[in-house]
mmCIF file of all heavy atoms in Angstrom:
data_model
loop_
_atom_site.group_PDB
_atom_site.id
_atom_site.type_symbol
_atom_site.label_atom_id
_atom_site.label_comp_id
_atom_site.label_asym_id
_atom_site.label_seq_id
_atom_site.Cartn_x
_atom_site.Cartn_y
_atom_site.Cartn_z
ATOM 1 N N THR A 1 0.446 14.525 -10.368
ATOM 2 C CA THR A 1 0.377 14.289 -8.922
ATOM 3 C C THR A 1 1.238 15.331 -8.213
ATOM 4 O O THR A 1 2.367 15.042 -7.814
ATOM 5 C CB THR A 1 0.839 12.869 -8.565
ATOM 6 O OG1 THR A 1 2.150 12.641 -9.128
ATOM 7 C CG2 THR A 1 -0.117 11.829 -9.106
ATOM 8 N N PRO A 2 0.731 16.558 -8.068
ATOM 9 C CA PRO A 2 1.515 17.613 -7.415
ATOM 10 C C PRO A 2 1.864 17.233 -5.986
ATOM 11 O O PRO A 2 1.085 16.568 -5.288
ATOM 12 C CB PRO A 2 0.586 18.824 -7.467
ATOM 13 C CG PRO A 2 -0.783 18.265 -7.658
ATOM 14 C CD PRO A 2 -0.616 17.009 -8.445
ATOM 15 N N ALA A 3 3.026 17.658 -5.545
ATOM 16 C CA ALA A 3 3.489 17.309 -4.204
ATOM 17 C C ALA A 3 2.550 17.865 -3.150
ATOM 18 O O ALA A 3 2.130 19.023 -3.209
ATOM 19 C CB ALA A 3 4.901 17.847 -3.981
ATOM 20 N N MET A 4 2.210 17.030 -2.180
ATOM 21 C CA MET A 4 1.354 17.493 -1.095
ATOM 22 C C MET A 4 2.167 18.338 -0.114
ATOM 23 O O MET A 4 3.401 18.311 -0.108
ATOM 24 C CB MET A 4 0.680 16.312 -0.383
ATOM 25 C CG MET A 4 1.618 15.386 0.341
ATOM 26 S SD MET A 4 0.766 14.166 1.413
ATOM 27 C CE MET A 4 -0.378 13.355 0.322
ATOM 28 N N GLU A 5 1.462 19.086 0.698
ATOM 29 C CA GLU A 5 2.088 19.934 1.697
ATOM 30 C C GLU A 5 2.992 19.099 2.605
ATOM 31 O O GLU A 5 2.606 18.007 3.039
ATOM 32 C CB GLU A 5 0.990 20.618 2.516
ATOM 33 C CG GLU A 5 1.466 21.714 3.426
ATOM 34 C CD GLU A 5 0.310 22.420 4.097
ATOM 35 O OE1 GLU A 5 -0.738 22.589 3.460
ATOM 36 O OE2 GLU A 5 0.473 22.802 5.271
ATOM 37 N N PRO A 6 4.217 19.576 2.904
ATOM 38 C CA PRO A 6 5.151 18.763 3.707
ATOM 39 C C PRO A 6 4.582 18.276 5.034
ATOM 40 O O PRO A 6 4.850 17.140 5.434
ATOM 41 C CB PRO A 6 6.337 19.722 3.912
ATOM 42 C CG PRO A 6 6.309 20.611 2.710
ATOM 43 C CD PRO A 6 4.852 20.808 2.409
ATOM 44 N N LEU A 7 3.815 19.117 5.722
ATOM 45 C CA LEU A 7 3.259 18.691 7.007
ATOM 46 C C LEU A 7 2.301 17.520 6.835
ATOM 47 O O LEU A 7 2.291 16.582 7.639
ATOM 48 C CB LEU A 7 2.543 19.860 7.694
ATOM 49 C CG LEU A 7 1.890 19.541 9.047
ATOM 50 C CD1 LEU A 7 2.921 19.053 10.055
ATOM 51 C CD2 LEU A 7 1.153 20.768 9.590
ATOM 52 N N LEU A 8 1.498 17.539 5.754
ATOM 53 C CA LEU A 8 0.568 16.441 5.509
ATOM 54 C C LEU A 8 1.323 15.172 5.124
ATOM 55 O O LEU A 8 0.977 14.078 5.566
ATOM 56 C CB LEU A 8 -0.429 16.828 4.418
ATOM 57 C CG LEU A 8 -1.503 15.788 4.091
ATOM 58 C CD1 LEU A 8 -2.334 15.448 5.322
ATOM 59 C CD2 LEU A 8 -2.404 16.278 2.970
ATOM 60 N N PHE A 9 2.368 15.305 4.298
ATOM 61 C CA PHE A 9 3.184 14.143 3.935
ATOM 62 C C PHE A 9 3.823 13.532 5.177
ATOM 63 O O PHE A 9 3.853 12.310 5.350
ATOM 64 C CB PHE A 9 4.247 14.552 2.921
ATOM 65 C CG PHE A 9 5.166 13.438 2.518
ATOM 66 C CD1 PHE A 9 4.704 12.366 1.774
ATOM 67 C CD2 PHE A 9 6.499 13.449 2.895
ATOM 68 C CE1 PHE A 9 5.544 11.320 1.396
ATOM 69 C CE2 PHE A 9 7.356 12.417 2.532
ATOM 70 C CZ PHE A 9 6.876 11.360 1.785
ATOM 71 N N ASP A 10 4.322 14.377 6.066
ATOM 72 C CA ASP A 10 4.939 13.879 7.294
ATOM 73 C C ASP A 10 3.910 13.205 8.185
ATOM 74 O O ASP A 10 4.208 12.210 8.859
ATOM 75 C CB ASP A 10 5.600 15.035 8.040
ATOM 76 C CG ASP A 10 6.290 14.581 9.307
ATOM 77 O OD1 ASP A 10 7.298 13.857 9.225
ATOM 78 O OD2 ASP A 10 5.799 14.923 10.406
ATOM 79 N N LEU A 11 2.682 13.713 8.180
ATOM 80 C CA LEU A 11 1.634 13.132 9.019
ATOM 81 C C LEU A 11 1.163 11.792 8.471
ATOM 82 O O LEU A 11 1.084 10.803 9.198
ATOM 83 C CB LEU A 11 0.464 14.109 9.116
ATOM 84 C CG LEU A 11 -0.749 13.682 9.942
ATOM 85 C CD1 LEU A 11 -0.360 13.419 11.393
ATOM 86 C CD2 LEU A 11 -1.834 14.750 9.868
ATOM 87 N N LEU A 12 0.861 11.750 7.164
ATOM 88 C CA LEU A 12 0.337 10.515 6.564
ATOM 89 C C LEU A 12 1.429 9.476 6.315
ATOM 90 O O LEU A 12 1.160 8.274 6.339
ATOM 91 C CB LEU A 12 -0.357 10.838 5.246
ATOM 92 C CG LEU A 12 -1.763 11.411 5.323
ATOM 93 C CD1 LEU A 12 -2.258 11.757 3.924
ATOM 94 C CD2 LEU A 12 -2.724 10.440 5.994
ATOM 95 N N GLY A 13 2.625 9.923 5.990
ATOM 96 C CA GLY A 13 3.724 8.994 5.772
ATOM 97 C C GLY A 13 3.884 8.489 4.358
ATOM 98 O O GLY A 13 4.762 7.669 4.088
ATOM 99 N N SER A 14 3.054 8.967 3.419
ATOM 100 C CA SER A 14 3.178 8.529 2.027
ATOM 101 C C SER A 14 2.389 9.469 1.134
ATOM 102 O O SER A 14 1.531 10.225 1.610
ATOM 103 C CB SER A 14 2.674 7.092 1.843
ATOM 104 O OG SER A 14 1.275 7.012 2.076
ATOM 105 N N GLN A 15 2.686 9.410 -0.168
ATOM 106 C CA GLN A 15 1.875 10.080 -1.174
ATOM 107 C C GLN A 15 1.751 9.194 -2.399
ATOM 108 O O GLN A 15 2.747 8.671 -2.918
ATOM 109 C CB GLN A 15 2.466 11.425 -1.600
ATOM 110 C CG GLN A 15 1.599 12.107 -2.671
ATOM 111 C CD GLN A 15 2.096 13.458 -3.117
ATOM 112 O OE1 GLN A 15 3.106 13.967 -2.621
ATOM 113 N NE2 GLN A 15 1.397 14.076 -4.059
ATOM 114 N N PHE A 16 0.519 9.024 -2.863
ATOM 115 C CA PHE A 16 0.248 8.293 -4.097
ATOM 116 C C PHE A 16 0.877 9.024 -5.279
ATOM 117 O O PHE A 16 0.759 10.242 -5.414
ATOM 118 C CB PHE A 16 -1.259 8.175 -4.302
ATOM 119 C CG PHE A 16 -1.661 7.740 -5.691
ATOM 120 C CD1 PHE A 16 -1.592 6.406 -6.048
ATOM 121 C CD2 PHE A 16 -2.093 8.665 -6.632
ATOM 122 C CE1 PHE A 16 -1.947 6.000 -7.323
ATOM 123 C CE2 PHE A 16 -2.455 8.272 -7.903
ATOM 124 C CZ PHE A 16 -2.383 6.932 -8.257
ATOM 125 N N LEU A 17 1.532 8.247 -6.173
ATOM 126 C CA LEU A 17 2.121 8.812 -7.383
ATOM 127 C C LEU A 17 1.579 8.191 -8.660
ATOM 128 O O LEU A 17 1.504 8.866 -9.690
ATOM 129 C CB LEU A 17 3.650 8.669 -7.360
ATOM 130 C CG LEU A 17 4.387 9.459 -6.286
ATOM 131 C CD1 LEU A 17 5.894 9.222 -6.410
ATOM 132 C CD2 LEU A 17 4.073 10.944 -6.359
ATOM 133 N N ALA A 18 1.204 6.917 -8.625
ATOM 134 C CA ALA A 18 0.741 6.254 -9.852
ATOM 135 C C ALA A 18 0.201 4.872 -9.512
ATOM 136 O O ALA A 18 0.424 4.346 -8.413
ATOM 137 C CB ALA A 18 1.886 6.120 -10.853
ATOM 138 N N HIS A 19 -0.496 4.300 -10.493
ATOM 139 C CA HIS A 19 -0.821 2.875 -10.432
ATOM 140 C C HIS A 19 -0.891 2.353 -11.861
ATOM 141 O O HIS A 19 -1.280 3.079 -12.782
ATOM 142 C CB HIS A 19 -2.135 2.603 -9.686
ATOM 143 C CG HIS A 19 -3.361 3.166 -10.324
ATOM 144 N ND1 HIS A 19 -3.905 2.658 -11.492
ATOM 145 C CD2 HIS A 19 -4.168 4.196 -9.971
ATOM 146 C CE1 HIS A 19 -4.982 3.333 -11.819
ATOM 147 N NE2 HIS A 19 -5.166 4.288 -10.926
ATOM 148 N N PRO A 20 -0.491 1.096 -12.070
ATOM 149 C CA PRO A 20 -0.686 0.495 -13.387
ATOM 150 C C PRO A 20 -2.180 0.234 -13.618
ATOM 151 O O PRO A 20 -3.002 0.486 -12.725
ATOM 152 C CB PRO A 20 0.099 -0.818 -13.300
ATOM 153 C CG PRO A 20 0.090 -1.155 -11.835
ATOM 154 C CD PRO A 20 0.112 0.169 -11.104
ATOM 155 N N VAL A 21 -2.523 -0.260 -14.782
ATOM 156 C CA VAL A 21 -3.908 -0.662 -15.039
ATOM 157 C C VAL A 21 -4.331 -1.641 -13.937
ATOM 158 O O VAL A 21 -3.582 -2.573 -13.616
ATOM 159 C CB VAL A 21 -4.033 -1.323 -16.428
ATOM 160 C CG1 VAL A 21 -5.435 -1.868 -16.634
ATOM 161 C CG2 VAL A 21 -3.683 -0.320 -17.519
ATOM 162 N N PRO A 22 -5.497 -1.432 -13.302
ATOM 163 C CA PRO A 22 -5.899 -2.338 -12.221
ATOM 164 C C PRO A 22 -5.806 -3.800 -12.649
ATOM 165 O O PRO A 22 -6.267 -4.186 -13.724
ATOM 166 C CB PRO A 22 -7.352 -1.921 -11.940
ATOM 167 C CG PRO A 22 -7.395 -0.476 -12.311
ATOM 168 C CD PRO A 22 -6.481 -0.357 -13.509
ATOM 169 N N GLY A 23 -5.165 -4.592 -11.804
ATOM 170 C CA GLY A 23 -4.954 -6.001 -12.125
ATOM 171 C C GLY A 23 -4.475 -6.764 -10.909
ATOM 172 O O GLY A 23 -4.503 -6.263 -9.779
ATOM 173 N N ARG A 24 -4.000 -7.964 -11.146
ATOM 174 C CA ARG A 24 -3.651 -8.882 -10.059
ATOM 175 C C ARG A 24 -2.230 -8.603 -9.565
ATOM 176 O O ARG A 24 -1.295 -8.476 -10.366
ATOM 177 C CB ARG A 24 -3.764 -10.322 -10.565
ATOM 178 C CG ARG A 24 -3.723 -11.392 -9.484
ATOM 179 C CD ARG A 24 -4.141 -12.734 -10.077
ATOM 180 N NE ARG A 24 -4.300 -13.771 -9.075
ATOM 181 C CZ ARG A 24 -3.396 -14.714 -8.824
ATOM 182 N NH1 ARG A 24 -2.275 -14.754 -9.537
ATOM 183 N NH2 ARG A 24 -3.616 -15.627 -7.895
ATOM 184 N N TYR A 25 -2.076 -8.493 -8.259
ATOM 185 C CA TYR A 25 -0.750 -8.380 -7.671
ATOM 186 C C TYR A 25 -0.751 -9.016 -6.285
ATOM 187 O O TYR A 25 -1.806 -9.410 -5.774
ATOM 188 C CB TYR A 25 -0.273 -6.921 -7.623
ATOM 189 C CG TYR A 25 -1.014 -6.000 -6.696
ATOM 190 C CD1 TYR A 25 -0.497 -5.673 -5.438
ATOM 191 C CD2 TYR A 25 -2.221 -5.403 -7.068
ATOM 192 C CE1 TYR A 25 -1.161 -4.804 -4.582
ATOM 193 C CE2 TYR A 25 -2.891 -4.532 -6.217
ATOM 194 C CZ TYR A 25 -2.353 -4.239 -4.979
ATOM 195 O OH TYR A 25 -3.018 -3.378 -4.141
ATOM 196 N N ARG A 26 0.420 -9.119 -5.701
ATOM 197 C CA ARG A 26 0.606 -9.867 -4.453
ATOM 198 C C ARG A 26 1.028 -8.929 -3.331
ATOM 199 O O ARG A 26 1.890 -8.071 -3.514
ATOM 200 C CB ARG A 26 1.673 -10.946 -4.654
ATOM 201 C CG ARG A 26 1.996 -11.814 -3.432
ATOM 202 C CD ARG A 26 3.003 -12.884 -3.844
ATOM 203 N NE ARG A 26 3.399 -13.757 -2.746
ATOM 204 C CZ ARG A 26 4.495 -13.586 -2.007
ATOM 205 N NH1 ARG A 26 5.299 -12.550 -2.253
ATOM 206 N NH2 ARG A 26 4.798 -14.430 -1.030
ATOM 207 N N ILE A 27 0.413 -9.118 -2.178
ATOM 208 C CA ILE A 27 0.793 -8.426 -0.949
ATOM 209 C C ILE A 27 1.311 -9.462 0.037
ATOM 210 O O ILE A 27 0.725 -10.539 0.181
ATOM 211 C CB ILE A 27 -0.414 -7.664 -0.361
ATOM 212 C CG1 ILE A 27 -0.718 -6.420 -1.210
ATOM 213 C CG2 ILE A 27 -0.170 -7.272 1.088
ATOM 214 C CD1 ILE A 27 -1.930 -5.645 -0.742
ATOM 215 N N ARG A 28 2.392 -9.138 0.713
ATOM 216 C CA ARG A 28 2.992 -10.098 1.644
ATOM 217 C C ARG A 28 3.285 -9.428 2.983
ATOM 218 O O ARG A 28 3.500 -8.209 3.059
ATOM 219 C CB ARG A 28 4.291 -10.666 1.072
ATOM 220 C CG ARG A 28 5.357 -9.607 0.846
ATOM 221 C CD ARG A 28 6.680 -10.187 0.407
ATOM 222 N NE ARG A 28 7.668 -9.141 0.186
ATOM 223 C CZ ARG A 28 8.386 -8.572 1.155
ATOM 224 N NH1 ARG A 28 8.222 -8.949 2.411
ATOM 225 N NH2 ARG A 28 9.275 -7.627 0.875
ATOM 226 N N PRO A 29 3.321 -10.210 4.062
ATOM 227 C CA PRO A 29 3.683 -9.661 5.373
ATOM 228 C C PRO A 29 5.148 -9.219 5.402
ATOM 229 O O PRO A 29 6.011 -9.842 4.775
ATOM 230 C CB PRO A 29 3.445 -10.821 6.335
ATOM 231 C CG PRO A 29 2.577 -11.785 5.597
ATOM 232 C CD PRO A 29 2.926 -11.620 4.153
ATOM 233 N N VAL A 30 5.420 -8.157 6.129
ATOM 234 C CA VAL A 30 6.783 -7.653 6.301
ATOM 235 C C VAL A 30 7.196 -7.728 7.761
ATOM 236 O O VAL A 30 8.288 -8.176 8.087
ATOM 237 C CB VAL A 30 6.903 -6.201 5.792
ATOM 238 C CG1 VAL A 30 8.284 -5.620 6.086
ATOM 239 C CG2 VAL A 30 6.607 -6.126 4.297
ATOM 240 N N GLU A 31 6.320 -7.282 8.658
ATOM 241 C CA GLU A 31 6.630 -7.197 10.085
ATOM 242 C C GLU A 31 5.577 -7.969 10.872
ATOM 243 O O GLU A 31 4.378 -7.798 10.661
ATOM 244 C CB GLU A 31 6.643 -5.734 10.522
ATOM 245 C CG GLU A 31 7.038 -5.491 11.957
ATOM 246 C CD GLU A 31 8.549 -5.496 12.178
ATOM 247 O OE1 GLU A 31 9.298 -5.340 11.204
ATOM 248 O OE2 GLU A 31 8.965 -5.672 13.337
ATOM 249 N N ALA A 32 6.029 -8.836 11.793
ATOM 250 C CA ALA A 32 5.091 -9.532 12.676
ATOM 251 C C ALA A 32 4.441 -8.518 13.606
ATOM 252 O O ALA A 32 5.121 -7.681 14.215
ATOM 253 C CB ALA A 32 5.818 -10.605 13.473
ATOM 254 N N HIS A 33 3.117 -8.591 13.709
ATOM 255 C CA HIS A 33 2.404 -7.563 14.466
ATOM 256 C C HIS A 33 0.999 -8.056 14.781
ATOM 257 O O HIS A 33 0.436 -8.870 14.047
ATOM 258 C CB HIS A 33 2.332 -6.289 13.627
ATOM 259 C CG HIS A 33 2.019 -5.061 14.408
ATOM 260 N ND1 HIS A 33 0.743 -4.716 14.775
ATOM 261 C CD2 HIS A 33 2.835 -4.097 14.904
ATOM 262 C CE1 HIS A 33 0.787 -3.583 15.456
ATOM 263 N NE2 HIS A 33 2.032 -3.189 15.560
ATOM 264 N N ALA A 34 0.409 -7.547 15.854
ATOM 265 C CA ALA A 34 -0.956 -7.938 16.211
ATOM 266 C C ALA A 34 -1.953 -7.606 15.108
ATOM 267 O O ALA A 34 -2.938 -8.316 14.910
ATOM 268 C CB ALA A 34 -1.366 -7.246 17.513
ATOM 269 N N LEU A 35 -1.700 -6.533 14.359
ATOM 270 C CA LEU A 35 -2.620 -6.134 13.296
ATOM 271 C C LEU A 35 -2.655 -7.120 12.132
ATOM 272 O O LEU A 35 -3.625 -7.163 11.384
ATOM 273 C CB LEU A 35 -2.246 -4.740 12.774
ATOM 274 C CG LEU A 35 -2.747 -3.565 13.612
ATOM 275 C CD1 LEU A 35 -1.966 -2.301 13.293
ATOM 276 C CD2 LEU A 35 -4.238 -3.342 13.375
ATOM 277 N N THR A 36 -1.594 -7.884 11.969
ATOM 278 C CA THR A 36 -1.514 -8.807 10.830
ATOM 279 C C THR A 36 -1.297 -10.263 11.265
ATOM 280 O O THR A 36 -0.997 -11.108 10.419
ATOM 281 C CB THR A 36 -0.377 -8.394 9.883
ATOM 282 O OG1 THR A 36 0.845 -8.249 10.629
ATOM 283 C CG2 THR A 36 -0.696 -7.084 9.187
ATOM 284 N N GLU A 37 -1.470 -10.549 12.532
ATOM 285 C CA GLU A 37 -1.259 -11.910 13.025
ATOM 286 C C GLU A 37 -2.145 -12.895 12.267
ATOM 287 O O GLU A 37 -3.349 -12.691 12.105
ATOM 288 C CB GLU A 37 -1.569 -11.978 14.523
ATOM 289 C CG GLU A 37 -1.295 -13.335 15.138
ATOM 290 C CD GLU A 37 -1.559 -13.348 16.633
ATOM 291 O OE1 GLU A 37 -1.896 -12.288 17.192
ATOM 292 O OE2 GLU A 37 -1.441 -14.441 17.228
ATOM 293 N N GLY A 38 -1.530 -13.948 11.749
ATOM 294 C CA GLY A 38 -2.259 -14.991 11.030
ATOM 295 C C GLY A 38 -2.545 -14.674 9.575
ATOM 296 O O GLY A 38 -3.088 -15.515 8.853
ATOM 297 N N ILE A 39 -2.188 -13.494 9.109
ATOM 298 C CA ILE A 39 -2.429 -13.125 7.709
ATOM 299 C C ILE A 39 -1.192 -13.465 6.880
ATOM 300 O O ILE A 39 -0.087 -13.001 7.175
ATOM 301 C CB ILE A 39 -2.783 -11.624 7.589
ATOM 302 C CG1 ILE A 39 -4.132 -11.369 8.253
ATOM 303 C CG2 ILE A 39 -2.802 -11.176 6.126
ATOM 304 C CD1 ILE A 39 -4.558 -9.925 8.274
ATOM 305 N N GLU A 40 -1.397 -14.277 5.862
ATOM 306 C CA GLU A 40 -0.312 -14.685 4.979
ATOM 307 C C GLU A 40 -0.375 -13.892 3.679
ATOM 308 O O GLU A 40 -1.294 -13.101 3.457
ATOM 309 C CB GLU A 40 -0.411 -16.193 4.714
ATOM 310 C CG GLU A 40 -0.333 -17.046 5.983
ATOM 311 C CD GLU A 40 -0.451 -18.522 5.688
ATOM 312 O OE1 GLU A 40 -0.792 -18.880 4.535
ATOM 313 O OE2 GLU A 40 -0.223 -19.327 6.616
ATOM 314 N N ALA A 41 0.622 -14.095 2.826
ATOM 315 C CA ALA A 41 0.635 -13.422 1.527
ATOM 316 C C ALA A 41 -0.639 -13.763 0.757
ATOM 317 O O ALA A 41 -1.145 -14.884 0.829
ATOM 318 C CB ALA A 41 1.869 -13.845 0.736
ATOM 319 N N PHE A 42 -1.160 -12.776 0.031
ATOM 320 C CA PHE A 42 -2.375 -13.012 -0.747
ATOM 321 C C PHE A 42 -2.349 -12.188 -2.019
ATOM 322 O O PHE A 42 -1.638 -11.188 -2.135
ATOM 323 C CB PHE A 42 -3.625 -12.691 0.083
ATOM 324 C CG PHE A 42 -3.753 -11.256 0.521
ATOM 325 C CD1 PHE A 42 -4.478 -10.333 -0.239
ATOM 326 C CD2 PHE A 42 -3.172 -10.823 1.709
ATOM 327 C CE1 PHE A 42 -4.612 -9.006 0.170
ATOM 328 C CE2 PHE A 42 -3.307 -9.500 2.130
ATOM 329 C CZ PHE A 42 -4.027 -8.600 1.356
ATOM 330 N N PHE A 43 -3.120 -12.654 -3.013
ATOM 331 C CA PHE A 43 -3.267 -11.941 -4.282
ATOM 332 C C PHE A 43 -4.597 -11.195 -4.282
ATOM 333 O O PHE A 43 -5.573 -11.619 -3.663
ATOM 334 C CB PHE A 43 -3.226 -12.921 -5.454
ATOM 335 C CG PHE A 43 -1.847 -13.445 -5.757
ATOM 336 C CD1 PHE A 43 -1.392 -14.621 -5.173
ATOM 337 C CD2 PHE A 43 -1.003 -12.767 -6.621
ATOM 338 C CE1 PHE A 43 -0.129 -15.108 -5.453
ATOM 339 C CE2 PHE A 43 0.266 -13.244 -6.910
ATOM 340 C CZ PHE A 43 0.706 -14.423 -6.322
ATOM 341 N N LEU A 44 -4.623 -10.092 -4.984
ATOM 342 C CA LEU A 44 -5.838 -9.311 -5.137
ATOM 343 C C LEU A 44 -5.831 -8.627 -6.489
ATOM 344 O O LEU A 44 -4.786 -8.503 -7.133
ATOM 345 C CB LEU A 44 -5.955 -8.266 -4.024
ATOM 346 C CG LEU A 44 -4.947 -7.110 -4.007
ATOM 347 C CD1 LEU A 44 -5.474 -5.982 -3.114
ATOM 348 C CD2 LEU A 44 -3.582 -7.554 -3.500
ATOM 349 N N GLU A 45 -6.997 -8.212 -6.946
ATOM 350 C CA GLU A 45 -7.119 -7.394 -8.148
ATOM 351 C C GLU A 45 -7.613 -6.027 -7.731
ATOM 352 O O GLU A 45 -8.747 -5.886 -7.262
ATOM 353 C CB GLU A 45 -8.070 -8.044 -9.158
ATOM 354 C CG GLU A 45 -7.515 -9.326 -9.753
ATOM 355 C CD GLU A 45 -8.300 -9.808 -10.964
ATOM 356 O OE1 GLU A 45 -9.176 -9.050 -11.432
ATOM 357 O OE2 GLU A 45 -8.023 -10.917 -11.430
ATOM 358 N N ASP A 46 -6.761 -5.035 -7.888
ATOM 359 C CA ASP A 46 -7.046 -3.715 -7.346
ATOM 360 C C ASP A 46 -6.118 -2.725 -8.037
ATOM 361 O O ASP A 46 -5.286 -3.113 -8.862
ATOM 362 C CB ASP A 46 -6.790 -3.714 -5.828
ATOM 363 C CG ASP A 46 -7.593 -2.669 -5.071
ATOM 364 O OD1 ASP A 46 -7.474 -1.471 -5.415
ATOM 365 O OD2 ASP A 46 -8.341 -3.027 -4.144
ATOM 366 N N GLU A 47 -6.279 -1.445 -7.707
ATOM 367 C CA GLU A 47 -5.280 -0.462 -8.110
ATOM 368 C C GLU A 47 -4.032 -0.682 -7.258
ATOM 369 O O GLU A 47 -4.095 -0.624 -6.032
ATOM 370 C CB GLU A 47 -5.807 0.959 -7.897
ATOM 371 C CG GLU A 47 -6.870 1.378 -8.883
ATOM 372 C CD GLU A 47 -7.358 2.790 -8.674
ATOM 373 O OE1 GLU A 47 -7.127 3.347 -7.582
ATOM 374 O OE2 GLU A 47 -7.984 3.333 -9.597
ATOM 375 N N HIS A 48 -2.922 -0.945 -7.928
ATOM 376 C CA HIS A 48 -1.668 -1.209 -7.227
ATOM 377 C C HIS A 48 -1.007 0.135 -6.939
ATOM 378 O O HIS A 48 -0.361 0.710 -7.803
ATOM 379 C CB HIS A 48 -0.778 -2.100 -8.090
ATOM 380 C CG HIS A 48 0.434 -2.615 -7.391
ATOM 381 N ND1 HIS A 48 1.288 -3.515 -7.978
ATOM 382 C CD2 HIS A 48 0.944 -2.368 -6.157
ATOM 383 C CE1 HIS A 48 2.267 -3.792 -7.145
ATOM 384 N NE2 HIS A 48 2.079 -3.105 -6.031
#
Protein backbone atom coordinates (compact mmCIF):
# COMPACT_ATOMS: atom_id res chain seq x y z
CA THR A 1 0.00 0.00 0.00
CA PRO A 2 2.33 2.77 -1.22
CA ALA A 3 1.71 6.17 0.32
CA MET A 4 -0.67 8.32 -1.67
CA GLU A 5 0.23 11.83 -2.75
CA PRO A 6 0.09 14.22 0.26
CA LEU A 7 -2.43 16.54 -1.40
CA LEU A 8 -4.80 13.63 -2.06
CA PHE A 9 -4.39 12.32 1.51
CA ASP A 10 -5.16 15.79 2.85
CA LEU A 11 -8.21 16.03 0.58
CA LEU A 12 -9.69 12.59 1.31
CA GLY A 13 -8.66 12.47 4.96
CA SER A 14 -7.60 8.81 5.05
CA GLN A 15 -5.73 6.04 3.27
CA PHE A 16 -6.57 2.34 3.26
CA LEU A 17 -3.74 0.17 4.62
CA ALA A 18 -5.21 -3.29 5.25
CA HIS A 19 -8.22 -5.39 6.11
CA PRO A 20 -8.55 -8.75 7.85
CA VAL A 21 -10.34 -11.62 6.12
CA PRO A 22 -13.86 -10.28 5.39
CA GLY A 23 -16.06 -11.06 8.37
CA ARG A 24 -18.39 -9.73 11.03
CA TYR A 25 -17.57 -6.52 12.86
CA ARG A 26 -19.38 -3.69 14.64
CA ILE A 27 -19.81 -0.05 13.69
CA ARG A 28 -21.02 2.43 16.29
CA PRO A 29 -22.01 6.12 16.33
CA VAL A 30 -19.35 8.58 17.50
CA GLU A 31 -20.79 12.05 16.87
CA ALA A 32 -24.45 13.12 16.91
CA HIS A 33 -25.23 14.50 13.48
CA ALA A 34 -28.05 14.86 10.94
CA LEU A 35 -26.31 12.31 8.71
CA THR A 36 -26.56 9.61 11.37
CA GLU A 37 -29.66 10.65 13.33
CA GLY A 38 -31.52 7.56 14.54
CA ILE A 39 -28.77 5.14 13.47
CA GLU A 40 -27.57 2.88 16.27
CA ALA A 41 -24.62 0.51 16.46
CA PHE A 42 -24.88 -2.35 13.97
CA PHE A 43 -22.99 -5.44 12.84
CA LEU A 44 -22.05 -6.18 9.25
CA GLU A 45 -19.98 -8.65 7.26
CA ASP A 46 -17.64 -6.73 5.02
CA GLU A 47 -14.02 -5.81 4.48
CA HIS A 48 -13.06 -4.11 7.73
